Amino acid sequence: MPIPIIKNLKAENWAELNSDQRMKALQDLENELATQEGREPCLIELIPEGERVLDKKGKPFLQGSYDPRKNPPLIVIDPSIILSDQPYLAVEIFFHEARHAYQDYAVQHPEIHNDSAEFEVWRKNNGAGYIDSDSKLNFSYYRWQPIENDANEVGRERTEELFVEIFQDEKSYPVHRAAKLKELDSDKLRAQFNIGPNFEEKAKEAVLEKHQKNLEENHFKSIFDKNKERTSEISSFPVKPIIDDSGGSGSGLPKGGPDNGGGSDSSPSTKPGSGSSGGSEVSLDNLQQSTEPTINEQVIGSEATNLAVEAPENESVSKSETAESHGNTKEENLSEGEDVFIDTVLEQKTATALEVETEKGVEAEKGA
């Protein structure tokens, strides 16, 4: 699928635009891309000042996000990124968030995505299995979960295609590319350090585990709510008073009552506060105690044994109920161990690259 060409996204044109014009260029890109993909275009807006998330250096921790719960769906980008006179990061973040919009649309319309295995993972990751960047799991699980990894790859590939193949930007884009490749190396090393060498597979397993756990919790909650509702219905049934008339013909009074000659009351006690007018009333509390276990047994026997059952096929049909807002965030702080590990490996890679370049130079001189 060809990338839409919006001329105002070229670096030299972007630099001459104000913020509103830059946002319009991104909106034009989204309108054409959404049309190609058959989905509703998202509205592109800036993150409101009061909702920005910054790191300790004042740089945006949350660079952008996609929210399918809005109508129309919403993509927001941090204002500082739009203010930059280079369009590369703004475009890459846009492509990342637009990919989330496609993922969400594909989950609602499976027929448009030709990879059924990937679709199934997206379906589970897009709702109950999504790992937030601020979850208790390590940040690497967020970074490498399937829908985030896919959005990062597509965002990077489409940005590369637009500025290298279409705009043929050889002046400034290579600097952006080098920085993003270094960031990618750092993300991989961090994941290896925290999760292990098979970090992508481990992140996917964490997503599927979370998805299943949430299904089970929701299933239990559904059983509890049904049980509570049925118990409430029973509590509201009118109870016909049971009359013990052995104390006298038609007296309607408890046995041993004042009208049958006095004497001690050896009958079971009546409901507190019922008095002696109108006979003995069966306690609602006792009725519930005798009835509830039967209901619980019926419900648990018929429903609770199927906890491992997958969610119905229409689990993600309603994006407002299942899909979550997906943010493009960067980890703010690294542990000391991560710092040392990543810096050491990157220094080794840099040193190796320099050795290769030096050897190439020596060989070239010999050949001359």
Side-chain angles (χ1 to χ4, degrees), residues 10-12 86 88 160 162-177:
K10 293 184 70 172
E12 57 267 31
Q86 291 187 342
Y88 314 122
E160 183 86 0
L162 180 63
F163 289 102
V164 175
E165 298 180 19
I166 298 177
F167 291 156
Q168 298 183 341
D169 186 337
E170 299 177 357
K171 182 179 179 181
S172 302
Y173 180 74
V175 176
H176 171 80
R177 179 205 288 141

Side-chain angles (χ1 to χ4, degrees), residues 6-309:
I6 308 298
K7 292 183 178 180
N8 275 344
L9 294 177
K10 293 184 70 172
E12 57 267 31
N13 296 338
W14 176 274
E16 300 298 321
L17 303 177
N18 60 36
S19 293
D20 290 341
Q21 292 169 326
R22 292 172 180 178
M23 291 295 289
K24 183 181 183 305
L26 292 173
Q27 185 68 66
D28 290 343
L29 179 60
E30 162 62 4
N31 293 345
E32 294 195 26
L33 183 63
T35 299
Q36 287 182 358
E37 296 175 344
R39 57 179 177 82
E40 179 183 12
C42 297
L43 181 64
I44 313 295
E45 291 188 346
L46 296 174
I47 298 178
E49 191 62 35
E51 297 177 16
R52 297 178 69 202
V53 183
L54 307 178
D55 62 19
K56 292 179 179 179
K57 298 179 180 179
K59 295 183 179 180
F61 174 72
L62 177 65
Q63 297 181 322
S65 69
Y66 160 69
D67 192 345
R69 297 166 296 187
K70 303 293 184 181
N71 187 20
L74 182 65
I75 290 175
V76 293
I77 300 175
D78 189 84
S80 66
I81 295 170
I82 301 299
L83 289 174
S84 171
D85 284 340
Q86 291 187 342
Y88 314 122
L89 184 56
V91 170
E92 187 163 342
I93 289 171
F94 161 75
F95 278 134
H96 175 109
E97 302 304 340
R99 182 63 171 182
H100 282 318
Y102 171 79
Q103 293 164 347
D104 184 48
Y105 184 72
V107 167
Q108 317 302 321
H109 304 84
E111 70 280 358
I112 72 167
H113 196 67
N114 57 13
D115 188 331
S116 58
E118 185 174 52
F119 160 79
E120 187 62 20
V121 173
W122 284 2
R123 182 181 70 81
K124 295 175 179 179
N125 194 178
N126 201 46
Y130 187 73
I131 299 173
D132 293 305
S133 59
D134 58 352
S135 72
K136 293 180 181 179
L137 289 172
N138 186 275
F139 182 86
S140 292
Y141 283 97
Y142 158 78
R143 165 62 180 85
W144 293 99
Q145 64 185 312
I147 61 174
E148 290 296 339
N149 188 29
D150 174 72
N152 279 313
E153 287 183 354
V154 170
R156 187 170 55 253
E157 290 168 359
R158 287 180 172 174
T159 303
E160 183 86 0
E161 181 179 346
L162 180 63
F163 289 102
V164 175
E165 298 180 19
I166 298 177
F167 291 156
Q168 298 183 341
D169 186 337
E170 299 177 357
K171 182 179 179 181
S172 302
Y173 180 74
V175 176
H176 171 80
R177 179 205 288 141
K180 296 300 289 186
L181 289 176
K182 183 178 180 180
E183 180 183 292
L184 178 60
D185 279 344
S186 179
D187 286 346
K188 288 180 178 178
L189 291 170
R190 186 179 300 124
Q192 290 172 14
F193 181 85
N194 290 302
I195 303 177
N198 56 341
F199 52 86
E200 289 187 51
E201 186 60 30
K202 289 292 185 182
K204 184 169 83 171
E205 289 174 4
V207 162
L208 300 180
E209 181 180 337
K210 182 179 180 184
H211 174 267
Q212 185 62 32
K213 181 180 178 181
N214 282 338
L215 283 186
E216 292 175 5
E217 289 177 351
N218 290 336
H219 197 62
F220 268 125
K221 185 178 184 299
S222 175
I223 293 172
F224 176 80
D225 289 344
K226 287 180 181 178
N227 198 8
K228 185 176 180 181
E229 181 180 344
R230 293 178 187 180
T231 303
S232 176
E233 290 174 357
I234 289 175
S235 300
S236 65
F237 288 165
V239 180
K240 182 178 180 180
I242 298 176
I243 307 300
D244 183 353
D245 59 1
S246 61
S249 176
S251 67
L253 297 176
K255 184 179 180 179
D259 287 349
N260 76 338
S264 64
D265 183 2
S266 61
S267 65
S269 61
T270 61
K271 182 178 178 182
S274 63
S276 59
S277 60
S280 172
E281 182 182 27
V282 176
S283 167
L284 289 179
D285 294 334
N286 292 337
L287 178 64
Q288 291 176 18
Q289 289 174 6
S290 64
T291 309
E292 281 182 14
T294 304
I295 296 175
N296 283 335
E297 289 167 5
Q298 292 175 350
V299 172
I300 292 175
S302 63
E303 298 181 43
T305 54
N306 296 320
L307 289 177
V309 175

Side-chain angles (χ1 to χ4, degrees), residues 339-349:
D339 260 339
V340 173
F341 176 74
I342 293 170
D343 288 345
T344 300
V345 175
L346 290 178
E347 286 173 5
Q348 290 174 348
K349 291 183 70 172

